[in-house]
Amino acid sequence: MEQKPETNPIPQTIHDNLFITNTLVNNGLRTDGLIDRRFQNLVDTKVPASYTPIEGVKSYDVSIDPCWFRVFVPDVITRSLPVIVYYHGGGFAFYGPDSSPYDALCRRFARMVPAIVISASYRLIPEHRYPAQYEDGFNVLKFLDNKKNRMMLPKNADLQRCFILGDCAGGNIAHHVCIRASQHKFQQLKVIGLVALQPLFGGEERVESEISCENRLGLHLDQTDFYWNVIQPLAPDEKWDRDNGAINVSGPKAIDISGLSFPPTLVVVGGRDILEDRQRNYYVWLKNSGKDAYLEQYEYMFHGFCTFPELPESTHVISIVKNFITKQMKLKLNLHLHSSL
Protein backbone atom coordinates (compact mmCIF):
# COMPACT_ATOMS: atom_id res chain seq x y z
CA MET A 1 0.00 0.00 0.00
CA GLU A 2 1.33 3.43 -0.97
CA GLN A 3 1.98 5.96 1.78
CA LYS A 4 -1.11 7.86 2.89
CA PRO A 5 -1.08 11.38 1.39
CA GLU A 6 -1.40 14.44 3.61
CA THR A 7 -2.60 17.39 1.56
CA ASN A 8 -2.12 20.51 3.66
CA PRO A 9 -3.01 23.22 2.96
CA ILE A 10 -6.10 22.43 0.90
CA PRO A 11 -5.75 24.02 -2.59
CA GLN A 12 -7.44 27.41 -2.93
CA THR A 13 -9.51 26.18 -5.88
CA ILE A 14 -11.16 23.61 -3.59
CA HIS A 15 -11.75 26.25 -0.90
CA ASP A 16 -13.47 28.37 -3.55
CA ASN A 17 -15.55 25.42 -4.75
CA LEU A 18 -16.70 24.63 -1.20
CA PHE A 19 -17.51 28.28 -0.48
CA ILE A 20 -19.62 28.68 -3.62
CA THR A 21 -21.47 25.40 -3.08
CA ASN A 22 -22.20 26.11 0.59
CA THR A 23 -23.35 29.65 -0.18
CA LEU A 24 -25.79 28.39 -2.80
CA VAL A 25 -27.05 25.61 -0.53
CA ASN A 26 -27.58 28.01 2.38
CA ASN A 27 -29.45 30.46 0.17
CA GLY A 28 -31.88 27.67 -0.71
CA LEU A 29 -32.62 26.47 2.84
CA ARG A 30 -35.80 28.30 3.83
CA THR A 31 -37.01 29.03 7.33
CA ASP A 32 -40.34 27.30 6.58
CA GLY A 33 -38.52 23.99 6.06
CA LEU A 34 -38.68 24.04 2.27
CA ILE A 35 -35.74 24.12 -0.15
CA ASP A 36 -35.37 26.43 -3.13
CA ARG A 37 -33.33 24.15 -5.39
CA ARG A 38 -32.65 26.82 -8.02
CA PHE A 39 -29.52 27.89 -6.18
CA GLN A 40 -27.90 24.49 -5.63
CA ASN A 41 -28.91 23.34 -9.12
CA LEU A 42 -26.48 25.92 -10.49
CA VAL A 43 -23.59 23.68 -9.41
CA ASP A 44 -25.31 20.29 -9.74
CA THR A 45 -24.32 19.37 -13.29
CA LYS A 46 -26.11 16.28 -14.58
CA VAL A 47 -24.29 13.64 -16.65
CA PRO A 48 -26.13 11.19 -18.93
CA ALA A 49 -25.36 7.49 -18.88
CA SER A 50 -23.00 6.30 -21.60
CA TYR A 51 -22.99 2.83 -23.09
CA THR A 52 -19.80 3.86 -24.86
CA PRO A 53 -17.03 3.35 -22.26
CA ILE A 54 -15.70 6.49 -20.60
CA GLU A 55 -12.34 5.94 -18.89
CA GLY A 56 -12.88 2.21 -19.32
CA VAL A 57 -16.39 2.11 -17.81
CA LYS A 58 -19.78 2.05 -19.52
CA SER A 59 -23.02 2.96 -17.75
CA TYR A 60 -26.77 2.65 -18.16
CA ASP A 61 -29.86 3.52 -16.12
CA VAL A 62 -32.55 1.23 -14.71
CA SER A 63 -35.96 2.39 -13.44
CA ILE A 64 -37.30 1.05 -10.16
CA ASP A 65 -40.49 2.84 -9.14
CA PRO A 66 -40.41 5.43 -7.61
CA CYS A 67 -36.65 5.72 -8.12
CA TRP A 68 -33.90 4.51 -10.44
CA PHE A 69 -30.26 3.50 -10.37
CA ARG A 70 -27.22 3.77 -12.63
CA VAL A 71 -25.10 0.71 -13.37
CA PHE A 72 -21.37 1.12 -14.00
CA VAL A 73 -19.63 -1.74 -15.81
CA PRO A 74 -15.82 -1.79 -16.10
CA ASP A 75 -14.30 -2.91 -19.38
CA VAL A 76 -12.49 -5.93 -17.93
CA ILE A 77 -12.56 -9.59 -18.85
CA THR A 78 -13.33 -11.67 -15.78
CA ARG A 79 -15.84 -14.38 -14.94
CA SER A 80 -17.02 -12.72 -11.76
CA LEU A 81 -17.06 -9.23 -10.27
CA PRO A 82 -18.30 -8.07 -6.86
CA VAL A 83 -21.30 -5.76 -6.76
CA ILE A 84 -21.16 -2.39 -5.02
CA VAL A 85 -24.44 -0.67 -4.17
CA TYR A 86 -23.69 3.01 -3.65
CA TYR A 87 -25.89 5.63 -1.94
CA HIS A 88 -24.92 9.23 -2.72
CA GLY A 89 -24.50 12.05 -0.24
CA GLY A 90 -26.12 15.47 -0.09
CA GLY A 91 -27.84 15.66 3.30
CA PHE A 92 -30.81 13.59 2.07
CA ALA A 93 -31.75 16.73 0.11
CA PHE A 94 -29.47 17.06 -2.90
CA TYR A 95 -27.77 15.23 -5.78
CA GLY A 96 -28.44 11.93 -7.53
CA PRO A 97 -26.57 9.18 -9.39
CA ASP A 98 -26.41 11.43 -12.46
CA SER A 99 -24.79 14.32 -10.56
CA SER A 100 -21.33 14.87 -12.00
CA PRO A 101 -19.33 14.23 -8.77
CA TYR A 102 -21.11 10.92 -8.13
CA ASP A 103 -21.07 9.74 -11.72
CA ALA A 104 -17.30 10.30 -11.72
CA LEU A 105 -16.75 8.73 -8.28
CA CYS A 106 -18.73 5.57 -9.05
CA ARG A 107 -16.94 5.29 -12.38
CA ARG A 108 -13.62 5.35 -10.51
CA PHE A 109 -14.79 2.68 -8.06
CA ALA A 110 -15.93 0.47 -10.96
CA ARG A 111 -12.60 0.81 -12.74
CA MET A 112 -10.19 0.70 -9.80
CA VAL A 113 -11.69 -2.05 -7.63
CA PRO A 114 -12.90 -3.39 -10.21
CA ALA A 115 -16.61 -4.00 -9.54
CA ILE A 116 -20.10 -3.62 -10.92
CA VAL A 117 -21.32 -0.43 -9.25
CA ILE A 118 -25.00 0.30 -8.77
CA SER A 119 -25.51 3.95 -7.84
CA ALA A 120 -28.97 4.25 -6.33
CA SER A 121 -31.28 7.24 -6.23
CA TYR A 122 -33.70 7.85 -3.38
CA ARG A 123 -36.49 10.31 -2.71
CA LEU A 124 -35.24 13.59 -1.29
CA ILE A 125 -36.27 15.75 1.65
CA PRO A 126 -38.26 17.82 2.42
CA GLU A 127 -40.74 16.61 -0.20
CA HIS A 128 -40.32 13.03 1.03
CA ARG A 129 -39.66 12.48 4.72
CA TYR A 130 -38.52 9.56 6.84
CA PRO A 131 -38.65 6.63 6.19
CA ALA A 132 -38.86 7.14 2.40
CA GLN A 133 -35.06 7.27 1.90
CA TYR A 134 -34.49 4.07 3.87
CA GLU A 135 -37.30 2.22 2.11
CA ASP A 136 -35.90 3.27 -1.26
CA GLY A 137 -32.42 2.16 -0.25
CA PHE A 138 -33.51 -1.30 0.82
CA ASN A 139 -35.82 -1.72 -2.16
CA VAL A 140 -32.78 -1.64 -4.43
CA LEU A 141 -31.46 -4.81 -2.76
CA LYS A 142 -34.83 -6.53 -3.03
CA PHE A 143 -35.01 -5.57 -6.70
CA LEU A 144 -31.55 -7.02 -7.36
CA ASP A 145 -32.42 -10.19 -5.47
CA ASN A 146 -35.46 -10.85 -7.65
CA LYS A 147 -34.48 -13.39 -10.32
CA LYS A 148 -36.85 -11.72 -12.77
CA ASN A 149 -34.56 -8.67 -12.71
CA ARG A 150 -31.29 -10.56 -13.20
CA MET A 151 -31.17 -9.47 -16.85
CA MET A 152 -30.71 -5.88 -15.66
CA LEU A 153 -27.15 -6.68 -14.56
CA PRO A 154 -24.11 -7.98 -16.46
CA LYS A 155 -23.71 -11.75 -16.40
CA ASN A 156 -20.50 -11.50 -14.38
CA ALA A 157 -22.12 -9.55 -11.52
CA ASP A 158 -21.76 -11.71 -8.40
CA LEU A 159 -24.57 -10.84 -6.01
CA GLN A 160 -23.14 -13.24 -3.44
CA ARG A 161 -20.33 -10.71 -3.04
CA CYS A 162 -22.33 -7.54 -2.48
CA PHE A 163 -20.91 -4.48 -0.73
CA ILE A 164 -22.89 -1.48 0.51
CA LEU A 165 -21.20 1.92 0.22
CA GLY A 166 -22.36 5.43 0.94
CA ASP A 167 -21.08 8.88 1.86
CA CYS A 168 -22.69 11.59 4.01
CA ALA A 169 -26.46 10.89 4.05
CA GLY A 170 -25.77 7.88 1.85
CA GLY A 171 -23.53 6.49 4.58
CA ASN A 172 -26.40 6.83 7.04
CA ILE A 173 -28.74 5.06 4.61
CA ALA A 174 -26.12 2.36 4.00
CA HIS A 175 -25.97 1.60 7.74
CA HIS A 176 -29.73 1.18 8.01
CA VAL A 177 -29.91 -0.83 4.79
CA CYS A 178 -27.36 -3.25 6.26
CA ILE A 179 -29.49 -3.65 9.37
CA ARG A 180 -32.49 -4.48 7.20
CA ALA A 181 -30.38 -6.81 5.06
CA SER A 182 -29.17 -8.72 8.12
CA GLN A 183 -32.81 -9.37 9.04
CA HIS A 184 -33.97 -10.36 5.55
CA LYS A 185 -33.70 -13.72 3.79
CA PHE A 186 -32.45 -13.06 0.28
CA GLN A 187 -32.60 -15.65 -2.47
CA GLN A 188 -29.36 -14.85 -4.25
CA LEU A 189 -27.89 -11.66 -2.76
CA LYS A 190 -25.53 -11.57 0.21
CA VAL A 191 -24.11 -8.41 1.78
CA ILE A 192 -20.56 -9.11 2.96
CA GLY A 193 -19.27 -5.61 3.67
CA LEU A 194 -20.20 -2.01 4.44
CA VAL A 195 -18.14 1.10 3.72
CA ALA A 196 -19.32 4.26 5.49
CA LEU A 197 -17.57 7.26 3.93
CA GLN A 198 -17.93 10.14 6.39
CA PRO A 199 -21.52 9.12 7.25
CA LEU A 200 -24.03 11.75 8.35
CA PHE A 201 -25.06 11.09 11.95
CA GLY A 202 -26.32 13.41 14.67
CA GLY A 203 -27.43 13.68 18.28
CA GLU A 204 -29.00 16.06 20.78
CA GLU A 205 -25.76 16.64 22.67
CA ARG A 206 -23.13 18.37 20.56
CA VAL A 207 -19.81 16.60 20.15
CA GLU A 208 -16.45 18.37 20.20
CA SER A 209 -15.98 18.37 16.42
CA GLU A 210 -19.36 20.13 16.05
CA ILE A 211 -18.56 22.72 18.73
CA SER A 212 -14.99 23.48 17.62
CA CYS A 213 -15.86 23.89 13.95
CA GLU A 214 -13.81 26.97 13.00
CA ASN A 215 -11.33 24.94 10.92
CA ARG A 216 -13.90 22.53 9.47
CA LEU A 217 -14.84 22.45 5.81
CA GLY A 218 -17.51 21.05 3.51
CA LEU A 219 -20.47 20.92 5.90
CA HIS A 220 -21.89 23.34 8.45
CA LEU A 221 -23.79 22.69 11.67
CA ASP A 222 -26.76 24.85 10.64
CA GLN A 223 -27.07 22.69 7.53
CA THR A 224 -27.15 19.40 9.45
CA ASP A 225 -29.69 20.87 11.90
CA PHE A 226 -31.90 21.83 8.94
CA TYR A 227 -31.67 18.33 7.43
CA TRP A 228 -32.55 16.64 10.72
CA ASN A 229 -35.49 18.99 11.24
CA VAL A 230 -37.05 18.35 7.85
CA ILE A 231 -36.44 14.61 7.57
CA GLN A 232 -38.69 13.88 10.57
CA PRO A 233 -42.15 12.51 9.78
CA LEU A 234 -44.97 15.04 9.70
CA ALA A 235 -46.83 12.93 12.30
CA PRO A 236 -44.23 10.86 14.16
CA ASP A 237 -45.42 7.94 16.30
CA GLU A 238 -43.20 9.05 19.16
CA LYS A 239 -41.10 12.02 20.23
CA TRP A 240 -38.69 12.84 17.42
CA ASP A 241 -35.40 14.53 18.16
CA ARG A 242 -31.76 14.16 17.11
CA ASP A 243 -31.38 11.12 19.40
CA ASN A 244 -33.81 9.19 17.21
CA GLY A 245 -32.26 5.87 16.14
CA ALA A 246 -32.23 6.96 12.50
CA ILE A 247 -30.03 9.95 13.34
CA ASN A 248 -27.97 8.99 16.40
CA VAL A 249 -27.14 5.43 15.35
CA SER A 250 -24.79 4.87 18.29
CA GLY A 251 -26.87 6.72 20.89
CA PRO A 252 -29.37 5.73 23.59
CA LYS A 253 -32.09 4.81 21.08
CA ALA A 254 -29.80 2.98 18.65
CA ILE A 255 -30.92 -0.32 17.17
CA ASP A 256 -29.17 -3.21 18.91
CA ILE A 257 -27.15 -5.05 16.26
CA SER A 258 -25.24 -7.33 18.62
CA GLY A 259 -27.41 -10.30 17.68
CA LEU A 260 -27.50 -9.56 13.95
CA SER A 261 -25.16 -10.76 11.22
CA PHE A 262 -24.18 -7.16 10.51
CA PRO A 263 -21.38 -7.07 7.92
CA PRO A 264 -17.76 -6.05 8.53
CA THR A 265 -17.55 -2.27 8.25
CA LEU A 266 -14.94 0.22 7.10
CA VAL A 267 -15.47 3.73 8.50
CA VAL A 268 -13.68 6.61 6.76
CA VAL A 269 -13.15 9.82 8.74
CA GLY A 270 -11.82 13.26 7.82
CA GLY A 271 -10.05 15.38 10.43
CA ARG A 272 -11.70 18.60 9.19
CA ASP A 273 -15.23 17.20 9.08
CA ILE A 274 -17.64 18.52 11.72
CA LEU A 275 -18.98 14.95 11.96
CA GLU A 276 -15.56 13.47 12.75
CA ASP A 277 -16.34 12.61 16.38
CA ARG A 278 -19.73 11.11 15.53
CA GLN A 279 -18.08 8.86 12.98
CA ARG A 280 -15.44 7.78 15.49
CA ASN A 281 -18.22 7.06 17.99
CA TYR A 282 -19.91 4.93 15.35
CA TYR A 283 -16.72 2.90 14.88
CA VAL A 284 -16.40 2.36 18.65
CA TRP A 285 -20.08 1.41 18.88
CA LEU A 286 -19.62 -1.21 16.13
CA LYS A 287 -16.67 -2.70 18.01
CA ASN A 288 -18.59 -2.69 21.29
CA SER A 289 -21.47 -4.43 19.51
CA GLY A 290 -19.09 -7.28 18.67
CA LYS A 291 -18.76 -6.43 14.97
CA ASP A 292 -15.69 -6.33 12.74
CA ALA A 293 -14.92 -2.66 12.16
CA TYR A 294 -12.01 -0.77 10.65
CA LEU A 295 -11.21 2.93 10.86
CA GLU A 296 -9.39 4.93 8.19
CA GLN A 297 -8.49 8.51 9.05
CA TYR A 298 -7.39 11.43 6.87
CA GLU A 299 -6.11 14.19 9.13
CA TYR A 300 -6.56 17.16 6.81
CA MET A 301 -9.62 16.07 4.87
CA PHE A 302 -13.01 17.79 4.93
CA HIS A 303 -16.54 16.47 4.50
CA GLY A 304 -17.03 15.10 1.00
CA PHE A 305 -13.35 15.01 0.01
CA CYS A 306 -13.75 11.73 -1.88
CA THR A 307 -15.68 13.55 -4.64
CA PHE A 308 -12.63 15.69 -5.46
CA PRO A 309 -10.45 13.52 -7.74
CA GLU A 310 -7.70 16.16 -7.80
CA LEU A 311 -6.93 15.30 -4.16
CA PRO A 312 -4.49 12.40 -3.68
CA GLU A 313 -6.57 11.32 -0.67
CA SER A 314 -9.54 10.76 -2.97
CA THR A 315 -7.58 8.18 -4.95
CA HIS A 316 -6.01 6.70 -1.83
CA VAL A 317 -9.38 6.05 -0.18
CA ILE A 318 -10.49 4.06 -3.24
CA SER A 319 -7.41 1.86 -2.84
CA ILE A 320 -8.31 1.40 0.85
CA VAL A 321 -11.84 0.38 -0.12
CA LYS A 322 -10.43 -1.97 -2.75
CA ASN A 323 -8.24 -3.66 -0.13
CA PHE A 324 -11.19 -3.97 2.24
CA ILE A 325 -13.33 -5.53 -0.48
CA THR A 326 -10.56 -7.93 -1.49
CA LYS A 327 -10.05 -8.99 2.13
CA GLN A 328 -13.75 -9.66 2.72
CA MET A 329 -14.00 -11.67 -0.50
CA LYS A 330 -11.04 -13.83 0.55
CA LEU A 331 -12.58 -14.39 3.98
CA LYS A 332 -15.86 -15.43 2.36
CA LEU A 333 -14.04 -17.83 0.03
CA ASN A 334 -12.04 -19.37 2.89
CA LEU A 335 -15.20 -19.79 4.93
CA HIS A 336 -16.90 -21.51 2.00
CA LEU A 337 -13.96 -23.85 1.46
CA HIS A 338 -13.79 -24.67 5.16
CA SER A 339 -17.52 -25.43 5.36
CA SER A 340 -17.33 -27.71 2.32
CA LEU A 341 -14.64 -29.94 3.87
Side-chain angles (χ1 to χ4, degrees):
M1 171 61 65
E2 62 188 51
Q3 184 176 358
K4 182 184 294 186
E6 295 184 348
T7 303
N8 185 38
I10 300 297
Q12 186 59 46
T13 53
I14 293 180
H15 273 281
D16 295 342
N17 184 310
L18 294 172
F19 173 78
I20 292 171
T21 300
N22 275 307
T23 299
L24 291 172
V25 166
N26 289 337
N27 283 340
L29 303 183
R30 295 172 26 172
T31 56
D32 60 2
L34 299 179
I35 296 177
D36 187 340
R37 301 187 188 280
R38 292 177 299 173
F39 296 99
Q40 202 272 342
N41 286 346
L42 294 173
V43 291
D44 185 9
T45 304
K46 300 299 185 181
V47 179
S50 175
Y51 207 74
T52 300
I54 298 176
E55 298 181 354
V57 179
K58 65 182 180 181
S59 59
Y60 58 91
D61 296 338
V62 176
S63 295
I64 168 175
D65 187 56
C67 301
W68 62 281
F69 59 78
R70 178 162 293 179
V71 183
F72 295 86
V73 184
D75 189 14
V76 296
I77 301 174
T78 179
R79 293 178 56 188
S80 177
L81 285 174
V83 173
I84 292 174
V85 177
Y86 194 95
Y87 302 102
H88 66 83
F92 301 99
F94 302 108
Y95 301 116
D98 56 349
S99 295
S100 179
Y102 287 105
D103 180 88
L105 178 61
C106 289
R107 195 175 300 278
R108 295 173 75 202
F109 272 120
R111 183 180 71 253
M112 296 174 65
V113 172
I116 305 297
V117 178
I118 296 167
S119 181
S121 74
Y122 51 86
R123 288 169 289 176
L124 302 177
I125 60 172
E127 294 84 0
H128 304 281
R129 298 184 175 230
Y130 176 90
Q133 298 73 27
Y134 302 91
E135 295 292 340
D136 295 342
F138 187 65
N139 283 342
V140 174
L141 298 193
K142 292 197 294 184
F143 180 89
L144 297 175
D145 189 56
N146 189 329
K147 292 182 179 180
K148 295 180 181 179
N149 301 323
R150 189 63 180 86
M151 66 183 69
M152 301 294 184
L153 295 181
K155 292 182 180 179
N156 61 347
D158 185 358
L159 290 171
Q160 283 287 303
R161 298 186 297 168
C162 181
F163 292 84
I164 308 299
L165 274 67
D167 73 288
C168 185
N172 179 301
I173 293 171
H175 166 78
H176 290 286
V177 165
C178 284
I179 291 178
R180 292 277 299 273
S182 65
Q183 299 168 324
H184 187 81
K185 292 185 178 180
F186 292 106
Q187 294 178 336
Q188 55 182 352
L189 183 146
K190 184 173 179 58
V191 175
I192 64 172
L194 163 63
V195 178
L197 299 164
Q198 301 178 282
L200 175 59
F201 300 137
E204 280 298 307
E205 184 178 351
R206 303 296 192 191
V207 293
E208 182 61 29
S209 60
E210 293 172 331
I211 298 171
S212 305
C213 57
E214 295 82 3
N215 199 35
R216 310 281 174 167
L217 293 171
L219 184 68
H220 298 160
L221 195 58
D222 56 348
Q223 294 171 342
T224 61
D225 284 350
F226 178 91
Y227 302 145
W228 296 136
N229 285 336
V230 301
I231 196 176
Q232 64 177 302
L234 293 175
D237 295 333
E238 57 185 25
K239 178 184 177 182
W240 182 282
D241 58 23
R242 292 195 304 268
D243 278 335
N244 180 279
I247 299 172
N248 191 351
V249 300
S250 57
K253 300 178 183 177
I255 298 173
D256 182 8
I257 65 169
S258 59
L260 301 178
S261 56
F262 194 86
T265 302
L266 170 64
V267 183
V268 175
V269 175
R272 299 184 70 179
D273 185 352
I274 65 167
L275 302 176
E276 174 190 6
D277 289 342
R278 296 207 177 276
Q279 294 153 3
R280 294 183 189 278
N281 292 344
Y282 175 58
Y283 163 75
V284 172
W285 175 79
L286 288 170
K287 299 287 284 187
N288 290 341
S289 298
K291 305 305 172 186
D292 291 334
Y294 309 87
L295 183 68
E296 191 68 28
Q297 309 172 67
Y298 292 91
E299 182 178 359
Y300 301 109
M301 287 298 98
F302 51 90
H303 191 81
F305 77 90
C306 61
T307 61
F308 288 81
E310 61 268 41
L311 287 170
E313 286 85 348
S314 178
T315 299
H316 185 269
V317 76
I318 294 178
S319 66
I320 292 295
V321 172
K322 175 181 179 177
N323 289 347
F324 172 77
I325 288 175
T326 300
K327 177 181 178 180
Q328 299 310 315
M329 290 193 301
K330 287 182 178 178
L331 289 173
K332 180 180 183 298
L333 177 60
N334 291 338
L335 182 63
H336 174 73
L337 293 174
H338 179 75
S339 61
S340 64
L341 293 178

